[in-house]
Amino acid sequence: MATRSVAGEAREIELASQMIHLGARLQVLQAETGLSYDRLSRLYREIKGCSPPKGMLPFSVDWFMTWLPNIHSTMFYSIYRYVDQHTTAKGARALVEAYKLYLEQSSAGRPEHTDAEPVLSFTRAWMLVRFFDGGLLQMSNCARCDGSFVAHAHDPKGSYVCAICKPPPRAGKTRASKKSSSAQI
Ligand SMILES: [Zn+2]
């Protein structure tokens, strides 16, 4: 860190600025750059015009499994993997490029919603990649439609069914019909 060049630091500030514009939390900037907390929070205030939000990052693997987040996470991660493997952008830069493409894709065809909050925030996208790197998540093929989706790692192979194919839970309905049939007896 002590030997970091001025040009290197300029590149990190530029990267951090891009991430702030995309909605990154301060913890993400700290993890992805070598810049100090003070510099990062000053940069954040300059760009956003307010102090960075405090508190913990959303830490839930299960959030990525609920159906709409799962579809968006799957779309993002497919783009990220492509950018990481087929372009010169790596690490945080691949994340930034993939996230920009995700924003374009998720708002394509409905320009009136471009100002709406994206389903997958930049910070969530960053966590998603960390969960993959940490071996908590994997891409699994759906046993019904054969599409590839974000799923828990170590799920038994061949039995995974995606969020689109899985019918909604009918527990309430089943209980109600059981009740009415037992009332008849
Ligand atoms: Zn499916």
Side-chain angles (χ1 to χ4, degrees):
M1 294 255 166
T3 57
R4 216 170 50 225
S5 69
V6 175
E9 195 184 42
R11 276 196 297 274
E12 293 211 310
I13 289 172
E14 186 265 334
L15 175 66
S17 304
Q18 285 205 53
M19 291 196 283
I20 292 167
H21 278 293
L22 293 172
R25 296 276 299 269
L26 211 64
Q27 289 97 322
V28 177
L29 308 173
Q30 280 184 287
E32 297 299 335
T33 71
L35 300 170
S36 71
Y37 177 87
D38 286 344
R39 291 196 71 132
L40 286 169
S41 58
R42 213 183 314 151
L43 186 64
Y44 190 99
R45 277 196 298 275
E46 271 181 36
I47 291 171
K48 290 278 187 181
C50 62
S51 295
K54 291 198 166 68
M56 303 257 291
L57 294 182
F59 189 86
S60 163
V61 178
D62 290 331
W63 183 87
F64 297 101
M65 299 305 140
T66 49
W67 82 273
L68 190 60
N70 188 261
I71 292 161
H72 279 254
S73 304
T74 297
M75 178 167 47
F76 167 77
Y77 196 72
S78 306
I79 298 170
Y80 171 78
R81 220 163 37 166
Y82 184 87
V83 170
D84 189 53
Q85 287 171 5
H86 299 285
T87 75
T88 52
K90 302 289 169 209
R93 299 215 172 255
L95 187 76
V96 164
E97 293 312 314
Y99 192 73
K100 285 184 193 164
L101 288 167
Y102 157 73
L103 289 182
E104 277 175 30
Q105 288 297 311
S106 62
S107 62
R110 45 185 196 96
E112 70 276 14
H113 290 131
T114 39
D115 289 339
E117 284 285 302
V119 172
L120 183 74
S121 70
F122 184 82
T123 299
R124 291 255 196 211
W126 176 77
M127 302 219 48
L128 178 72
V129 172
R130 305 234 346 171
F131 285 145
F132 266 93
D133 291 348
L136 291 168
L137 294 174
Q138 66 181 27
M139 293 301 274
S140 289
N141 277 21
C142 172
R144 292 190 200 161
C145 70
D146 204 38
S148 196
F149 293 87
V150 171
H152 285 294
H154 318 304
D155 272 350
K157 265 208 166 109
S159 64
Y160 170 75
V161 177
C162 80
I164 298 171
C165 294
K166 205 177 286 172
R170 291 165 180 267
K173 213 174 175 182
T174 313
R175 212 177 299 135
S177 60
K178 260 187 198 155
K179 210 186 244 173
S180 67
S181 64
S182 63
Q184 281 168 358
I185 302 166

